[in-house]
Amino acid sequence: MFKVTVVGSGNWGSVAAKLIASNTIRLASFHDEVRMWVFEEKLPSGEKLTDVINKTNENVKYLPGIKLGKNVVADPELENAVKDANMLVFVTPHQFMEGICKRLAGKIRSDTEGISLIKGMEVKKEGPTMISTLITKQLGINCSVLMGANIANEIALEKFSEATVGYNQNKLAAERWVELFNTPYFNVTAVEDVEGVELCGTLKNVVAIAAGFVDGLEMGNNTKAAIMRIGLKEMRAFSKMWFPSVKDNTFFESCGVADLITTCMGGRNRKVADAYARNGGKRPFDELEAEMLQGQKLQGVLTAQEVHEVLSHRGWLHMFPLFSAVHAISTGRLPPSAIVKISDLKPSSNL
């Protein structure tokens, strides 16, 4: 029997718990109960968020109006939430993962499988470390990834969408993850390319920031399409430079071009970048994030910073004009209008 814990309880974490819980209750190979670790917060009413979730079966802060399923149990104690689980679903902002892994090291079952729904990476001088790799190294478990064109609120309303599981060698584990997540409205497929799937999910947030600048400056659909195309080329080039095993076909899965399109049309990164451009870059992203996202985190600006560090260290910035421009604009070194001046930078022909 497989027992599932969701490590994280934001907007996407809550939707993931809802999806999973609808399957564990009907599939014989899974325990009905799904634990969800909640970073404890006090609500304006004075009540604790976990108490309210367990009382109302709803994450009133991050997914209001949606019932999670009676078999979802919120738990504010991380170690307690994972102690009996042998399938761990990680879905927190990527900057918190190192600390979470340190707390969990040596405290989970030896037969545990992990899956990361996290967009982002750890950056070291020698290059990017994917979150799935961080989980594998720190916890000693196999870790797959799930990425796709997944705006959480639409999935919560059971509107049809797709996702991609990326795995390394362990096909049996991948098939189990597909079984756990797949529903009539959430179509999941698996590909043997964990780095490709994860990098697509991570890098598209940088392109979405660029798309938001274009929207904020009201430059139109042709410009936005051009930015998305250049962004996809840079995503592919960056992925293959670091991980030559990345497969071209991965970019045509839900985690690739579909996720890029939906994130550049909707999603929080586009929304906040639009506001940044409309304010002429005069209000910092931190301030806009706090005002517009009700506690959710923006991944694109942080990922742009991480990509910049990696490329700068290698002397490769000139090969990635769009990624470089997003970082320069988001840190205030260039105005938002510079997003369409990237052609001046002569991108490398090998893209």
Side-chain angles (χ1 to χ4, degrees):
M1 289 279 280
F2 299 102
K3 188 158 188 350
V4 186
T5 291
V6 178
V7 179
S9 57
N11 187 232
W12 185 208
S14 299
V15 174
K18 175 185 185 287
L19 274 171
I20 290 164
S22 72
N23 280 331
T24 58
I25 206 156
R26 66 177 189 81
L27 294 170
S29 51
F30 297 93
H31 279 277
D32 287 358
E33 184 185 278
V34 175
R35 290 250 152 197
M36 179 172 75
W37 173 61
V38 176
F39 180 79
E40 192 66 282
E41 298 179 55
K42 200 167 251 191
L43 297 170
S45 63
E47 293 176 285
K48 290 178 177 173
L49 180 57
T50 43
D51 291 345
V52 175
I53 292 172
N54 287 331
K55 194 165 66 186
T56 65
N57 193 230
E58 191 179 311
N59 188 334
V60 293
K61 179 161 185 186
Y62 295 109
L63 193 65
I66 301 290
K67 296 297 178 191
L68 299 178
K70 294 284 188 215
N71 51 327
V72 174
V73 177
D75 191 332
E77 299 296 330
L78 179 60
E79 291 83 351
N80 190 61
V82 305
K83 72 174 185 202
D84 298 321
N86 54 359
M87 294 181 82
L88 294 180
V89 179
F90 294 95
V91 54
T92 67
H94 78 275
Q95 57 268 39
F96 302 144
M97 268 315 293
E98 195 147 16
I100 287 170
C101 284
K102 280 184 177 141
R103 286 175 63 188
L104 290 181
K107 303 210 172 107
I108 58 174
R109 287 170 49 167
S110 58
D111 62 341
T112 300
E113 283 281 339
I115 195 165
S116 170
L117 279 57
I118 299 165
K119 277 96 173 180
M121 53 188 156
E122 289 281 303
V123 169
K124 307 283 187 282
K125 279 282 189 283
E126 58 273 17
T129 298
M130 303 318 298
I131 299 298
S132 62
T133 308
L134 179 80
I135 292 166
T136 294
K137 281 185 177 163
Q138 296 214 0
L139 300 183
I141 63 173
N142 181 53
C143 190
S144 305
V145 297
L146 182 140
M147 306 279 157
N150 304 146
I151 289 177
N153 289 337
E154 294 180 13
I155 300 165
L157 295 170
E158 303 191 1
K159 295 179 178 179
F160 179 78
S161 64
E162 301 177 310
T164 313
V165 166
Y167 69 95
N168 270 346
Q169 296 166 333
N170 194 338
K171 193 172 184 190
L172 203 62
E175 286 168 352
R176 199 173 305 121
W177 288 120
V178 169
E179 186 183 24
L180 185 65
F181 278 94
N182 197 64
T183 72
Y185 62 90
F186 193 68
N187 187 40
V188 186
T189 53
V191 296
E192 192 174 354
D193 183 9
V194 73
E195 291 88 3
V197 173
E198 194 166 5
L199 276 161
C200 280
T202 297
L203 296 171
K204 55 94 196 203
N205 284 330
V206 181
V207 186
I209 297 285
F213 295 153
V214 168
D215 284 349
L217 295 167
E218 298 183 358
M219 289 176 169
N221 291 330
N222 294 342
T223 308
K224 193 166 176 179
I227 290 296
M228 289 162 69
R229 185 196 69 80
I230 295 163
L232 184 61
K233 279 177 77 176
E234 291 194 13
M235 284 166 58
R236 178 178 169 275
F238 184 93
S239 300
K240 283 178 162 285
M241 282 169 109
W242 289 107
F243 301 101
S245 64
V246 166
K247 297 170 181 169
D248 280 339
N249 280 350
T250 299
F251 294 89
F252 296 99
E253 297 289 343
S254 178
C255 62
V257 67
D259 194 9
L260 178 67
I261 291 166
T262 198
T263 311
C264 289
M265 305 306 276
R268 68 186 84 157
N269 291 280
R270 188 220 63 81
K271 178 179 167 184
V272 180
D274 179 322
Y276 182 84
R278 287 182 196 277
N279 282 285
K282 293 187 173 57
R283 293 186 65 197
F285 269 98
D286 287 354
E287 192 181 295
L288 292 165
E289 175 189 80
E291 182 182 297
M292 298 173 73
L293 298 185
Q294 286 85 48
Q296 286 183 273
K297 290 293 171 199
L298 204 61
Q299 299 295 304
V301 173
L302 185 54
T303 302
Q305 167 70 37
E306 291 164 342
V307 167
H308 179 82
E309 283 174 33
V310 170
L311 295 176
S312 180
H313 181 66
R314 286 294 175 106
W316 290 346
L317 284 171
H318 65 286
M319 298 165 71
F320 294 87
L322 182 71
F323 288 173
S324 301
V326 168
H327 178 254
I329 295 166
S330 61
T331 52
R333 289 191 292 112
L334 286 177
S337 57
I339 199 63
V340 291
K341 308 237 171 36
I342 56 171
S343 57
D344 298 348
L345 301 178
K346 303 282 186 292
S348 167
S349 60
N350 71 354
L351 295 186

